[in-house]
Amino acid sequence: MPVAKLKNVTLSYHEYGDKHLPTVVLIMGLGMSEHSWPKELLRLLVKKGLRVITFDNRDVGHSQYFPTDKNFQSVPIAIGRALLRLPVKAPYKLENMALDLVELLDYLKIDSAHLVGVSMGGMIAQVTATIRPSRVKSLTSIMSASGNPRTGTGKVKAIYSLFMHPEQPDNPEKLFEHFCRVFNTLKSPKYGYPREEQEKLLRDSSQIPFDSKGAERQLLAILASGDRSAQLSRLSTPTLVIHGEDDPLLPLSAGKEVADLIPNAKLKVMPLMGHDLPPIHYEEISSAIAKHVWDAEN
């Protein structure tokens, strides 16, 4: 497995497709490894003429983990403070995670790339476009938000799922059961995954190292970064926003707000989609991303 030893962090990553084609960097969400990207979705993106790079964010998978300082706030207190728009103390912020990505681009000798992020990954992509606009050719923000607590607060059960910890994180079978519980809380209530389909999606992730404390640190980074609406309104990056109509964690209103904030952003609402990537949408999502990328290239 390739590992990039960067100035501030060590990141694991994978490359797919021809290096001479437009580069798309996929950024995964909270607590999830790069292996959580559906293989069929990756195959479709490569088939549509794109070079694809996936990587593990800090504090997840095979990338570097950071210690938790006792001075930082607990997640429940941090969520309460964020809802009240009060400052949140965290080991790092989304900006640090965005700079990790920029360092990875430097390491791979990529001047600029097309960023595609889901959930927290979408936020990292947004922040990267904000602080390093010259490095981002286009932005695709999927099931993500601006940090505004009034539009980005989902159902209580979905939020509670962020606190769930696996009973035995070192046991792949127990970890798989944990991912199934969280997944069934966040997926679209209107799309019934066949058992084999769901197992295929989650089995690979359960074989990767998982640290619930790392996921908590990532969540604190989101909360500490606050409302980024003002920064998003100044973006000039070509932007596509994709959001499920049945998202229980980050409601559709959150995606609509991101699209409204970013000048000239396009919004694509997906039916039968919650806080997940249903296989029924792989072709449509990959086609939308590829078109957005090629439009930005031209």
Side-chain angles (χ1 to χ4, degrees):
M1 181 176 296
V3 173
K5 295 184 178 180
L6 310 175
K7 179 180 178 181
N8 295 305
V9 67
T10 297
L11 302 179
S12 67
Y13 69 96
H14 281 91
E15 299 181 75
Y16 307 86
D18 189 332
K19 291 185 178 183
H20 298 95
L21 294 171
T23 299
V24 176
V25 180
L26 303 184
I27 314 168
M28 186 38 72
L30 178 71
M32 301 304 291
S33 164
E34 60 170 318
H35 295 275
S36 300
W37 287 104
K39 289 184 173 58
E40 178 61 14
L41 185 60
L42 299 182
R43 187 189 71 80
L44 287 170
L45 290 171
V46 172
K47 183 180 177 181
K48 296 178 190 306
L50 303 174
R51 173 195 185 189
V52 176
I53 294 173
T54 62
F55 71 101
D56 283 338
N57 286 302
R58 60 167 65 191
D59 268 332
V60 72
H62 293 287
S63 286
Q64 182 178 340
Y65 288 77
F66 288 72
T68 299
D69 192 307
K70 293 181 180 179
N71 294 323
F72 296 119
Q73 291 152 342
S74 68
V75 170
I77 291 176
I79 289 177
R81 291 184 65 85
L83 290 173
L84 295 172
R85 297 181 181 271
L86 296 174
V88 171
K89 293 181 180 179
Y92 51 82
K93 295 185 178 182
L94 290 173
E95 182 172 334
N96 299 101
M97 303 182 80
L99 291 174
D100 291 346
L101 170 56
V102 173
E103 281 196 49
L104 181 61
L105 293 179
D106 290 340
Y107 177 86
L108 296 173
K109 295 180 171 54
I110 298 172
D111 292 332
S112 59
H114 303 271
L115 304 188
V116 177
V118 296
S119 196
M120 179 190 72
M123 300 174 195
I124 295 170
Q126 294 167 17
V127 173
T128 308
T130 299
I131 64 174
R132 295 291 187 275
S134 65
R135 308 303 296 272
V136 184
K137 286 187 176 181
S138 77
L139 165 66
T140 301
S141 179
I142 305 175
M143 60 178 111
S144 196
S146 67
N148 178 359
R150 287 187 292 182
T151 59
T153 302
K155 297 179 180 179
V156 173
K157 187 177 180 181
I159 296 173
Y160 179 74
S161 71
L162 302 179
F163 299 92
M164 296 171 66
H165 292 170
E167 297 175 3
Q168 301 174 32
D170 295 331
N171 183 325
E173 197 58 38
K174 293 294 184 181
L175 190 56
F176 173 72
E177 292 174 4
H178 165 73
F179 284 145
C180 285
R181 286 193 296 271
V182 175
F183 180 78
N184 286 323
T185 302
L186 300 180
K187 73 179 182 66
S188 171
K190 296 179 184 177
Y191 176 69
Y193 281 84
R195 183 176 178 180
E196 300 78 11
E197 205 170 70
Q198 179 172 324
E199 180 160 339
K200 182 180 178 183
L201 284 170
L202 301 176
R203 185 61 70 179
D204 284 350
S205 296
S206 64
Q207 307 300 314
I208 306 302
F210 179 81
D211 181 0
S212 56
K213 291 296 183 182
E216 287 182 358
R217 290 190 289 271
Q218 290 184 346
L219 180 54
L220 287 173
I222 295 172
L223 298 172
S225 297
D227 188 345
R228 294 168 285 100
S229 298
Q231 295 94 315
L232 293 180
S233 67
R234 295 193 291 269
L235 279 181
S236 59
T237 307
T239 301
L240 171 66
V241 176
I242 299 175
H243 214 101
E245 65 177 3
D246 298 318
D247 194 322
L249 182 63
L250 294 175
L252 178 56
S253 59
K256 288 182 174 178
E257 181 181 59
V258 171
D260 288 340
L261 285 169
I262 301 176
N264 303 312
K266 299 176 182 178
L267 173 65
K268 186 175 183 61
V269 178
M270 306 299 295
L272 299 180
M273 181 167 140
H275 204 73
D276 58 346
L277 294 168
I280 54 170
H281 289 321
Y282 289 169
E283 177 60 42
E284 188 172 0
I285 289 174
S286 62
S287 294
I289 292 172
K291 183 181 185 305
H292 183 58
V293 166
W294 284 107
D295 285 349
E297 284 284 318
N298 298 325

